[in-house]
Amino acid sequence: MSTETSTMITRAADLKQVPWRNGQGMTTEIALGGSPDDFTWRVSLAEVAQSGDFSAFPGIDRIIVLIEGPSMRLQLPGHTQVLRTDEPFAFDGGVPVQCTVDQPTRDLNVMTRRGAARATLDVLVLVAGAPPVVVPGPGPGTVVLVVLDGTVELTGDAPLATLATGDVAVSRERVLLAGSGRVAVARIVPAPGR
C-alpha cells in the first residue's frame, strides 16, 4: 500500500481473501471502515462458484453489482431479481437471499451499517483518448475505486498512480480517471446526523 495525499492505493496482489460468513464461498476484502466484525462500511468482491444462500447481515444495507458472468438470479422474500453485468441492485442485507447461477460469477458488494453510513455504487466505462472523468470528493466520506478491467490513470492535484485490473484506490478527495476499462465507484458518506 502507498499513501499519497489522502488517496491510498492497494494492488490486486495485496488484497486478502476471507471465507463468507456462512462458509459457502470466498470474498476478497477491498476496503473497510471499522473492524471486520463491526464495520461501518465494507467493499468486497465475491466469487460465486455455484448456487446457494447469501450470508445474512442484519442491520446492513447492501448494494451488489455483477461484474463477471452472464447473470445471477436472487430470490428475496416476495421478489426475484435478475442481476445483469454492471447494473447495481440495493437490498436489505438481513433478509434471506437464495442465489442461482448457471456458471461461476463474480460480484462487487458495498455494505453500510444502517443509521451510520449510506452508499451509492456505479460502474464507469473509460474510453482511451476521452477527457478524464471527474470523481468528486465525497466531503466527509470516502470514495472506493475498483478497476474491474483495463488500465486507469488516477490523478488529483498531481499524478497519483496507474491502476491495473483488480487494483483499488480509496480517496477522500476529488480524483480524475483516464484510460481504458471499467471502474466501479462506491461513494460512502455518513448517515444524516452522524
Side-chain angles (χ1 to χ4, degrees), residues 89-137:
F89 172 65
F91 63 100
D92 180 341
V95 302
V97 178
Q98 169 75 40
C99 166
T100 304
V101 293
D102 295 326
Q103 65 186 57
T105 64
R106 298 171 76 216
D107 59 78
L108 188 75
N109 290 272
V110 179
M111 300 186 193
T112 52
R113 189 161 306 282
R114 196 168 301 124
R118 296 179 305 173
T120 60
L121 178 61
D122 299 290
V123 176
L124 305 179
V125 177
L126 303 177
V127 178
V133 174
V134 178
V135 178

XYZ file of all heavy atoms in Angstrom, residues 89-137:
353
model
N -27.799 -3.329 -7.709
C -29.084 -3.623 -7.082
C -28.924 -3.485 -5.572
O -28.026 -4.086 -4.978
C -29.548 -5.041 -7.437
C -30.762 -5.506 -6.683
C -31.996 -4.879 -6.866
C -30.673 -6.552 -5.786
C -33.112 -5.303 -6.170
C -31.790 -6.990 -5.083
C -33.014 -6.360 -5.273
N -29.784 -2.684 -4.937
C -29.724 -2.448 -3.486
C -30.793 -3.276 -2.782
O -31.923 -3.400 -3.277
C -29.928 -0.962 -3.193
N -30.435 -3.828 -1.600
C -31.402 -4.617 -0.827
C -30.976 -4.659 0.638
O -29.870 -4.253 0.997
C -31.548 -6.029 -1.403
C -30.298 -6.877 -1.374
C -30.113 -7.835 -0.391
C -29.317 -6.714 -2.350
C -28.974 -8.617 -0.373
C -28.170 -7.499 -2.335
C -28.003 -8.443 -1.345
N -31.858 -5.152 1.469
C -31.622 -5.302 2.907
C -30.738 -6.530 3.124
O -31.144 -7.656 2.807
C -32.967 -5.457 3.615
C -32.856 -5.618 5.118
O -31.774 -5.968 5.631
O -33.875 -5.400 5.804
N -29.544 -6.329 3.653
C -28.611 -7.436 3.852
C -29.042 -8.453 4.884
O -28.450 -9.524 4.986
N -30.096 -8.146 5.650
C -30.548 -9.066 6.674
C -31.587 -10.066 6.214
O -31.895 -11.022 6.926
N -32.166 -9.879 5.003
C -33.209 -10.791 4.543
C -32.583 -12.045 3.936
O -31.460 -12.000 3.422
C -34.157 -10.118 3.515
C -34.818 -8.878 4.110
C -33.445 -9.791 2.221
N -33.291 -13.175 3.977
C -32.752 -14.376 3.348
C -32.714 -14.220 1.826
O -33.691 -13.765 1.229
C -33.727 -15.489 3.769
C -34.946 -14.803 4.268
C -34.570 -13.418 4.657
N -31.589 -14.592 1.219
C -31.423 -14.482 -0.228
C -30.861 -15.799 -0.758
O -29.824 -16.263 -0.293
C -30.462 -13.326 -0.609
C -30.271 -13.271 -2.127
C -30.974 -11.996 -0.088
N -31.567 -16.364 -1.729
C -31.088 -17.553 -2.442
C -30.552 -17.090 -3.786
O -31.235 -16.391 -4.522
C -32.235 -18.541 -2.646
C -31.931 -19.686 -3.601
C -31.038 -20.749 -3.014
O -31.171 -21.100 -1.870
N -30.121 -21.257 -3.809
N -29.319 -17.463 -4.096
C -28.655 -17.044 -5.330
C -28.580 -18.236 -6.293
O -28.200 -19.332 -5.888
C -27.255 -16.550 -4.980
S -26.166 -16.363 -6.379
N -28.941 -17.996 -7.564
C -28.845 -19.036 -8.582
C -27.947 -18.544 -9.710
O -28.165 -17.451 -10.248
C -30.236 -19.390 -9.148
O -31.098 -19.767 -8.066
C -30.150 -20.532 -10.148
N -26.925 -19.337 -10.038
C -26.034 -19.035 -11.167
C -25.909 -20.292 -12.030
O -25.947 -21.401 -11.520
C -24.639 -18.565 -10.699
C -24.721 -17.226 -9.999
C -23.966 -19.595 -9.793
N -25.769 -20.081 -13.344
C -25.593 -21.200 -14.263
C -24.115 -21.535 -14.467
O -23.786 -22.610 -14.961
C -26.237 -20.873 -15.618
C -27.748 -20.713 -15.496
O -28.353 -21.425 -14.676
O -28.308 -19.856 -16.204
N -23.252 -20.578 -14.120
C -21.807 -20.780 -14.197
C -21.165 -19.826 -13.195
O -21.839 -18.919 -12.699
C -21.297 -20.529 -15.611
C -21.458 -19.096 -16.085
C -21.081 -18.940 -17.545
O -21.645 -19.604 -18.412
N -20.125 -18.076 -17.823
N -19.893 -20.016 -12.854
C -19.263 -19.135 -11.865
C -19.342 -17.660 -12.266
O -19.219 -17.315 -13.442
C -17.815 -19.630 -11.826
C -17.908 -21.071 -12.239
C -18.997 -21.111 -13.273
N -19.565 -16.816 -11.261
C -19.657 -15.373 -11.476
C -18.838 -14.663 -10.403
O -18.412 -15.272 -9.428
C -21.117 -14.877 -11.379
O -21.586 -15.103 -10.053
C -22.020 -15.570 -12.374
N -18.668 -13.356 -10.605
C -18.041 -12.510 -9.596
C -18.923 -11.286 -9.415
O -19.479 -10.759 -10.383
C -16.638 -12.081 -10.033
C -15.693 -13.244 -10.217
C -14.403 -12.820 -10.857
N -13.559 -12.144 -9.890
C -12.768 -11.118 -10.172
N -12.723 -10.606 -11.381
N -12.019 -10.572 -9.251
N -19.049 -10.834 -8.170
C -19.842 -9.637 -7.913
C -19.152 -8.763 -6.880
O -18.391 -9.234 -6.042
C -21.272 -9.992 -7.471
C -21.307 -10.843 -6.219
O -21.122 -10.282 -5.122
O -21.526 -12.065 -6.310
N -19.412 -7.468 -6.993
C -18.881 -6.482 -6.059
C -19.998 -6.090 -5.113
O -21.143 -5.883 -5.541
C -18.370 -5.261 -6.825
C -17.611 -4.231 -5.992
C -16.212 -4.740 -5.658
C -17.516 -2.911 -6.742
N -19.684 -6.008 -3.834
C -20.661 -5.673 -2.802
C -20.216 -4.442 -2.035
O -19.047 -4.322 -1.669
C -20.793 -6.826 -1.799
C -21.460 -8.030 -2.403
O -22.681 -8.137 -2.377
N -20.690 -8.949 -2.960
N -21.153 -3.551 -1.770
C -20.931 -2.417 -0.888
C -21.943 -2.547 0.238
O -23.154 -2.614 -0.012
C -21.105 -1.067 -1.608
C -20.889 0.089 -0.637
C -20.149 -0.967 -2.783
N -21.448 -2.617 1.471
C -22.320 -2.764 2.636
C -22.128 -1.584 3.572
O -20.995 -1.165 3.818
C -22.005 -4.060 3.377
C -22.182 -5.303 2.556
S -21.938 -6.770 3.587
C -21.813 -8.021 2.323
N -23.238 -1.062 4.088
C -23.176 0.035 5.062
C -24.091 -0.286 6.230
O -25.181 -0.845 6.045
C -23.612 1.372 4.424
O -24.881 1.221 3.784
C -22.582 1.868 3.424
N -23.624 0.066 7.428
C -24.447 -0.151 8.621
C -25.556 0.888 8.649
O -25.316 2.080 8.587
C -23.590 -0.064 9.887
C -24.351 -0.501 11.138
C -23.410 -0.845 12.271
N -22.398 -1.838 11.931
C -22.613 -3.153 11.857
N -23.820 -3.636 12.076
N -21.617 -3.970 11.559
N -26.797 0.403 8.696
C -27.969 1.276 8.665
C -27.915 2.269 9.825
O -27.634 1.903 10.958
C -29.236 0.426 8.742
C -30.491 1.138 8.335
C -31.647 0.162 8.143
N -31.312 -0.834 7.123
C -31.349 -2.151 7.339
N -31.717 -2.636 8.496
N -31.028 -2.974 6.358
N -28.119 3.549 9.504
C -28.085 4.598 10.523
C -26.706 5.176 10.754
O -26.569 6.211 11.398
N -25.658 4.508 10.217
C -24.288 5.001 10.394
C -23.698 5.539 9.091
O -22.920 6.484 9.105
C -23.391 3.899 10.948
N -24.046 4.907 7.961
C -23.489 5.332 6.672
C -24.459 4.984 5.550
O -25.343 4.134 5.720
C -22.134 4.657 6.430
N -24.272 5.658 4.421
C -25.041 5.386 3.206
C -24.066 5.279 2.049
O -22.971 5.850 2.103
C -26.027 6.519 2.912
C -27.103 6.688 3.960
C -28.021 7.835 3.603
N -27.239 9.067 3.401
C -27.759 10.196 2.955
N -29.017 10.273 2.627
N -26.996 11.272 2.814
N -24.471 4.584 0.978
C -23.569 4.409 -0.162
C -24.321 4.453 -1.477
O -25.528 4.204 -1.536
C -22.823 3.080 -0.040
N -23.571 4.773 -2.534
C -24.021 4.586 -3.902
C -22.943 3.789 -4.619
O -21.787 3.758 -4.188
C -24.237 5.928 -4.640
O -22.995 6.648 -4.677
C -25.304 6.771 -3.942
N -23.329 3.137 -5.705
C -22.381 2.331 -6.468
C -22.685 2.492 -7.953
O -23.833 2.350 -8.372
C -22.495 0.856 -6.062
C -21.611 -0.141 -6.805
C -20.134 0.161 -6.626
C -21.916 -1.572 -6.332
N -21.657 2.818 -8.725
C -21.785 2.959 -10.175
C -20.611 2.260 -10.842
O -19.553 2.100 -10.245
C -21.762 4.440 -10.588
C -22.908 5.229 -9.983
O -24.049 5.008 -10.399
O -22.643 6.060 -9.085
N -20.815 1.864 -12.100
C -19.721 1.321 -12.911
C -19.502 2.278 -14.072
O -20.431 2.569 -14.833
C -20.028 -0.103 -13.418
C -18.909 -0.592 -14.339
C -20.211 -1.059 -12.244
N -18.277 2.798 -14.181
C -17.907 3.723 -15.253
C -17.124 2.969 -16.322
O -16.288 2.116 -16.004
C -17.031 4.851 -14.717
C -17.571 5.681 -13.554
C -16.544 6.734 -13.145
C -18.892 6.335 -13.931
N -17.395 3.300 -17.584
C -16.623 2.750 -18.689
C -15.751 3.876 -19.233
O -16.257 4.916 -19.668
C -17.542 2.189 -19.793
C -16.703 1.689 -20.968
C -18.416 1.064 -19.237
N -14.439 3.682 -19.160
C -13.490 4.681 -19.653
C -13.037 4.303 -21.056
O -12.795 3.126 -21.349
C -12.278 4.764 -18.731
C -12.562 5.083 -17.262
C -11.259 5.055 -16.467
C -13.256 6.423 -17.122
N -12.928 5.327 -21.922
C -12.508 5.117 -23.305
C -11.192 5.848 -23.525
O -11.065 7.027 -23.174
C -13.590 5.637 -24.272
C -13.135 5.473 -25.719
C -14.911 4.926 -24.034
N -10.219 5.145 -24.097
C -8.908 5.745 -24.348
C -9.053 7.002 -25.198
O -9.800 7.021 -26.172
C -7.995 4.741 -25.043
N -8.363 8.059 -24.805
C -8.386 9.303 -25.546
C -9.516 10.245 -25.172
O -9.521 11.404 -25.581
N -10.491 9.767 -24.415
C -11.604 10.622 -23.982
C -11.125 11.529 -22.843
O -10.143 11.229 -22.161
C -12.776 9.777 -23.515
N -11.812 12.668 -22.617
C -11.435 13.527 -21.491
C -11.536 12.758 -20.170
O -12.359 11.842 -20.041
C -12.467 14.658 -21.535
C -13.004 14.649 -22.925
C -12.924 13.226 -23.384
N -10.715 13.108 -19.177
C -10.783 12.426 -17.883
C -12.168 12.572 -17.245
O -12.850 13.568 -17.435
C -9.726 13.145 -17.039
C -8.814 13.787 -18.030
C -9.659 14.119 -19.224
N -12.554 11.540 -16.510
C -13.807 11.558 -15.758
C -13.492 12.056 -14.356
O -12.577 11.551 -13.695
C -14.438 10.151 -15.691
C -15.666 10.149 -14.794
C -14.784 9.660 -17.090
N -14.233 13.065 -13.907
C -14.018 13.627 -12.578
C -14.889 12.875 -11.578
O -16.098 12.742 -11.762
C -14.371 15.130 -12.542
C -14.183 15.686 -11.134
C -13.519 15.895 -13.549
N -14.256 12.354 -10.539
C -14.985 11.730 -9.430
C -14.858 12.685 -8.254
O -13.776 12.817 -7.675
C -14.418 10.342 -9.080
C -15.156 9.744 -7.895
C -14.497 9.416 -10.295
N -15.951 13.388 -7.928
C -15.844 14.383 -6.862
C -15.541 13.743 -5.523
O -15.954 12.605 -5.263
C -17.224 15.043 -6.833
C -18.010 14.453 -7.944
C -17.276 13.282 -8.481
N -14.835 14.478 -4.693
C -14.628 14.048 -3.323
C -15.965 14.015 -2.598
O -16.849 14.809 -2.896
